[in-house]
Amino acid sequence: MKPRILIGSVIRQSPSILELFLQSLTKLDCPFADIHYIFADDNTDNSSSNLLNRFAEDFPNAASIISCNPQELDSGYRRDETTHYWDNSSIWKVAEYKNGIIQHCLHLGYDALFFVDSDLLLHPKTLQILWDTDKQIVSEIFWTKWQPTSLPLPQVWLNDEYSFIEQTEQEVLTEEQKKVSQFVFLSKLRIPGLYEVGGLGACTLIRRTALEKGVHFGKIKNLSFWGEDRHFCIRAAALGIDLYVDTHVPAFHIYRDSDLEPARKWVQEYDETNLSSESRLPGSNLPDTLITKPRITLTMVVHNEAGSRLADILGELKHFIDHAVIIDDGSTDDTAELCKEVLKGTPLHVIKNETPHFPDELSLRRQQWNETLSVNPEWILNLDADEMFESKFWMQLHEMLSSATGDVACFRLYDMWSNTHYREDQFWRSHFTYRPFLIRFNPRFNYKWSDRSFHCGRFPANIFEQPSFISNYRLKHWGWATPEIRQKKYERYKKLDPEAKYGWKEQYESILDPNPRLVAWNN
């Protein structure tokens, strides 16, 4: 027997937006279910009410309309080209209507309730995809510029009122760590998938099992958070119900009248191309949000890194890589165990050299290369244990690789001399040059290595025979960031290359300069 799903909406909307919304509902592809509709008509524009009535006439046995008292809300809600404005009485009046729809759903025995706001346009596969997740509460994502000049943000969040920062109890994060955490979460939502979240709303499928447990939109009296959706989500969590967001078929949010023309183009795009849920889809207010996810293999050489920044670096990387190949080059601490712990859940290939191979860097890099190829990589991200991309890089990584016309991606590396400053003088100018850190492996290409045993490069020497491209996203190199590190590096270089055969003697000597020229890192 087909499940019975009730689509519900509390509506106060302009006719031009409402017309597109109702058309979107009629295009939902739902052969798996019997669909009914219930609308709370809170419109102050008779033309909008007439649109709802015509919709009900077109679906005489499937659509019903609840008449509201819009005068009570006339002063409590308005919208303009900047944002939407609500007062508390308006919010909780809407919550009452939503709770009434929940009772209607339970009383008539529906299997699920799909709440959707009337300024959203839905991809035809939306309801099918949400139902197939088999989750008690799940939303389809959409992105909105809440202010005209702001970046598009999703209608889902991780915790509190609208936070994108993953943080455990009593954990204290630096501002940089908070930025990284936020970018990690937002970047993840660009990738088609199903993700657990802490808050959601506006485009949500709720199974009967959740409704019977008591989820609803009523105010929690000892909670000051704004908005009925937040009270709904906190109540759901208290009842032991996890919340999820799907990101395969983002909705389009007509947040402003100026969004109408882009909205019509969005509808036209999927009408003309007849896209399936597995295809590239029109992407809400964020162009090209959905992209085919390239496979990224991290490769890294580590040595006695247990007390370094490695845990933070791997903790960031794990959200964006599909495989990791780690060469533990003769560590005498628990570096290998640290890698396994931080990358738990990520396919990981660890090779442990009993004695360090670094004195012959060419041999070590060739070993690293061959072990990386053994896992059949697509894109190879080659980072040292003291290198970290700036946070905003991760927001664009998959989109950049999906549209890349070259096979070798080059970036600028900044030698950090402290937590806040990098060095820039005649000897330290690495950030003036773009270098390869990320390449697409081509099994038909004949890769050849340099014959230099030191400073041989982390990739084969002839990779630039392939097409390359540059990116303006930057890397921080923490390998010089403290006096202790610089002293050890100086001694190592003097030992491994005493005649500066493979390096630059003046640069070696400048490592211990007590007053180098430093420049502040600008985020």
Side-chain angles (χ1 to χ4, degrees), residues 280-479:
R280 186 179 178 92
L281 299 164
S284 73
N285 297 49
L286 187 61
D288 297 325
T289 296
L290 289 179
I291 54 180
T292 302
K293 181 184 177 184
R295 287 187 299 109
I296 300 172
T297 297
L298 169 70
T299 182
M300 181 180 286
V301 174
V302 296
H303 174 75
N304 287 344
E305 305 289 348
S308 70
R309 298 175 183 262
L310 180 60
D312 291 337
I313 291 172
L314 293 179
E316 177 181 23
L317 288 167
K318 69 181 293 184
H319 299 284
F320 304 97
I321 60 174
D322 301 279
H323 210 124
V325 176
I326 306 290
I327 306 289
D328 184 357
D329 192 41
S331 293
T332 56
D333 61 10
D334 60 351
T335 294
E337 288 68 28
L338 181 149
C339 294
K340 293 174 184 177
E341 178 63 26
V342 176
L343 294 176
K344 186 182 297 182
T346 300
L348 176 61
H349 183 42
V350 177
I351 303 91
K352 188 169 179 61
N353 296 334
E354 293 304 320
T355 58
H357 291 191
F358 188 78
D360 182 2
E361 186 182 3
L362 177 59
S363 171
L364 179 61
R365 292 299 188 182
R366 290 179 70 104
Q367 178 194 22
Q368 179 188 14
W369 176 255
N370 291 332
E371 294 290 352
T372 302
L373 297 192
S374 72
V375 303
N376 188 32
E378 179 184 358
W379 285 91
I380 300 174
L381 176 62
N382 194 328
L383 295 178
D384 285 348
D386 53 12
E387 294 170 347
M388 176 184 284
F389 275 100
E390 60 181 325
S391 303
K392 56 188 176 183
F393 167 71
W394 303 112
M395 289 286 288
Q396 299 296 329
L397 172 61
H398 291 104
E399 183 175 354
M400 180 186 78
L401 297 186
S402 294
S403 60
T405 56
D407 297 322
V408 181
C410 299
F411 305 85
R412 292 169 295 169
L413 181 74
Y414 288 70
D415 290 312
M416 303 301 294
W417 231 250
S418 71
N419 287 336
T420 57
H421 287 71
Y422 61 89
R423 183 168 175 176
E424 180 180 302
D425 55 35
Q426 60 179 322
F427 302 118
W428 298 89
R429 303 169 64 84
S430 65
H431 52 283
F432 283 48
T433 303
Y434 288 87
R435 293 180 172 84
F437 290 87
L438 181 62
I439 72 168
R440 176 162 39 198
F441 176 65
N442 181 355
R444 295 177 295 277
F445 184 75
N446 182 24
Y447 293 95
K448 297 179 182 179
W449 281 88
S450 163
D451 58 0
R452 296 164 59 98
S453 61
F454 194 51
H455 289 318
C456 59
R458 64 187 74 193
F459 287 118
N462 65 335
I463 58 171
F464 283 110
E465 294 176 13
Q466 299 177 292
S468 62
F469 60 97
I470 64 173
S471 169
N472 285 325
Y473 292 109
R474 305 167 295 173
L475 288 97
K476 292 180 177 180
H477 178 214
W478 296 107

Side-chain angles (χ1 to χ4, degrees), residues 180-348:
V180 169
S181 180
Q182 177 167 304
F183 278 119
V184 165
F185 177 66
L186 295 177
S187 298
K188 182 171 65 174
L189 297 184
R190 290 174 173 238
I191 303 168
L194 180 69
Y195 307 101
E196 186 172 355
V197 294
L200 46 71
C203 188
T204 306
L205 181 69
I206 311 167
R207 299 266 181 158
R208 184 177 184 86
T209 53
L211 297 175
E212 289 177 338
K213 289 178 181 177
V215 295
H216 64 82
F217 292 87
K219 180 175 176 57
I220 301 173
K221 64 180 181 180
N222 61 344
L223 185 70
S224 62
F225 285 172
W226 180 89
E228 80 282 5
D229 284 335
R230 290 166 178 81
H231 293 249
F232 172 89
C233 294
I234 292 170
R235 181 174 283 108
L239 291 170
I241 303 172
D242 295 329
L243 309 175
Y244 291 86
V245 64
D246 176 84
T247 63
H248 287 90
V249 286
F252 189 105
H253 192 192
I254 313 176
Y255 194 61
R256 301 174 180 85
D257 287 342
S258 57
D259 294 326
L260 273 166
E261 188 56 33
R264 294 187 180 101
K265 291 180 180 178
W266 186 88
V267 172
Q268 183 180 12
E269 181 181 343
Y270 72 64
D271 280 348
E272 290 178 349
T273 56
N274 192 27
L275 293 171
S276 70
S277 62
E278 292 76 27
S279 303
R280 186 179 178 92
L281 299 164
S284 73
N285 297 49
L286 187 61
D288 297 325
T289 296
L290 289 179
I291 54 180
T292 302
K293 181 184 177 184
R295 287 187 299 109
I296 300 172
T297 297
L298 169 70
T299 182
M300 181 180 286
V301 174
V302 296
H303 174 75
N304 287 344
E305 305 289 348
S308 70
R309 298 175 183 262
L310 180 60
D312 291 337
I313 291 172
L314 293 179
E316 177 181 23
L317 288 167
K318 69 181 293 184
H319 299 284
F320 304 97
I321 60 174
D322 301 279
H323 210 124
V325 176
I326 306 290
I327 306 289
D328 184 357
D329 192 41
S331 293
T332 56
D333 61 10
D334 60 351
T335 294
E337 288 68 28
L338 181 149
C339 294
K340 293 174 184 177
E341 178 63 26
V342 176
L343 294 176
K344 186 182 297 182
T346 300
L348 176 61

Side-chain angles (χ1 to χ4, degrees), residues 79-84 117 119-121 140-156 162 164 186 189-190 201-203 250-259 283-287 289:
R79 54 184 289 175
D80 56 27
E81 278 299 297
T82 300
T83 188
H84 294 196
D117 284 2
D119 53 4
L120 294 177
L121 304 183
E140 186 56 52
I141 199 168
F142 59 86
W143 299 78
T144 306
K145 290 184 176 182
W146 302 115
Q147 298 293 327
T149 59
S150 67
L151 290 173
L153 294 174
Q155 95 283 13
V156 300
Y162 191 57
F164 307 134
L186 295 177
L189 297 184
R190 290 174 173 238
C203 188
F252 189 105
H253 192 192
I254 313 176
Y255 194 61
R256 301 174 180 85
D257 287 342
S258 57
D259 294 326
S284 73
N285 297 49
L286 187 61
T289 296

